[in-house]
Amino acid sequence: ARPPLAGALCGVTAACLSTPFLKVKVRLQNKTESSIFAAIRNIITKEGPLGLYRGATAAMLRVTVASAAQLGSYDTVKTRIANLTGLSGFPLFLTSSLSASIAVISIMNPFDVVQTRLFSSEKGQYRHIPHVFTHIVRTEGLAGLYRGAIAHYFRVGPHTILIFCFWEQFKLITHSRIRKNKGN
């Protein structure tokens, strides 16, 4: 249970710190603002200083769920694949990280869509996160929660695969050096 918990804790902390910048980025991408400073000024003017954090709960939920899924699924899948197939080394890391990347997108995309809708919305358009979820499902069906999932995968998939493949290589090198130093 440690990898999902560690991932969730890291995710929620990062989301708390980065939400204002993510909100500004979404506004810039939607072409509703002309510059970073204009976006910050307009958000504060229209919504108050806490407006920079409107939608923070959705961002925290999104990253918490994604990070927990990423770390938890990788660890679980890697153990199961190794036990079932006898794979080891790079083929095991690649297969496990590919599976984890699919799990992450499957779990994360609905939260990503909700977060984007919240950040793009006018104040008062949505009452709370469940309102956004139900509005999307009611007006677009479940598929609405997976809008952009393929593009999202092409962004997050390679990232997840590279993180875990590099992480495993780093662990192998580190453990090798530790063993070598203990022998001296």
Side-chain angles (χ1 to χ4, degrees):
R2 288 189 321 185
L5 182 60
L9 184 59
C10 291
V12 76
T13 303
C16 284
L17 298 172
S18 65
T19 291
F21 303 105
L22 182 58
K23 185 169 186 171
V24 167
K25 178 191 77 105
V26 168
R27 297 275 177 101
L28 289 168
Q29 288 175 332
N30 283 331
K31 297 183 180 181
T32 56
E33 302 291 350
S34 60
S35 72
I36 293 171
F37 299 110
I40 292 169
R41 185 180 61 248
N42 288 337
I43 291 168
I44 291 172
T45 301
K46 292 177 184 174
E47 303 174 36
L50 291 179
L52 290 168
Y53 285 92
R54 190 169 64 82
T57 305
M60 287 186 273
L61 188 57
R62 172 193 172 268
V63 176
T64 300
V65 167
S67 298
Q70 187 178 45
L71 292 174
S73 64
Y74 176 75
D75 210 39
T76 301
V77 168
K78 185 175 86 169
T79 301
R80 287 192 179 161
I81 289 174
N83 290 340
L84 290 172
T85 67
L87 271 180
S88 64
F90 187 75
L92 174 63
F93 307 150
L94 183 62
T95 306
S96 303
S97 59
L98 178 62
S99 299
S101 68
I102 293 167
V104 169
I105 294 302
S106 299
I107 292 168
M108 181 180 174
N109 207 80
F111 294 97
D112 197 56
V113 170
V114 167
Q115 172 192 280
T116 301
R117 300 284 174 94
L118 276 172
F119 283 169
S120 301
S121 68
E122 295 295 321
K123 186 176 181 180
Q125 184 176 351
Y126 298 111
R127 294 185 304 275
H128 42 69
I129 293 170
H131 180 226
V132 182
F133 270 106
T134 57
H135 176 77
I136 292 169
V137 171
R138 193 173 57 250
T139 59
E140 304 171 43
L142 283 175
L145 294 173
Y146 288 91
R147 185 176 297 277
I150 293 172
H152 195 192
Y153 179 81
F154 283 115
R155 180 183 152 265
V156 174
H159 177 261
T160 299
I161 292 166
L162 290 171
I163 281 175
F164 287 122
C165 287
F166 280 116
W167 171 246
E168 293 290 355
Q169 294 306 310
F170 175 76
K171 287 190 327 187
L172 290 171
I173 292 167
T174 303
H175 291 291
S176 172
R177 288 188 180 177
I178 289 170
R179 280 190 298 260
K180 183 179 172 184
N181 288 338
K182 282 185 178 179
N184 290 335

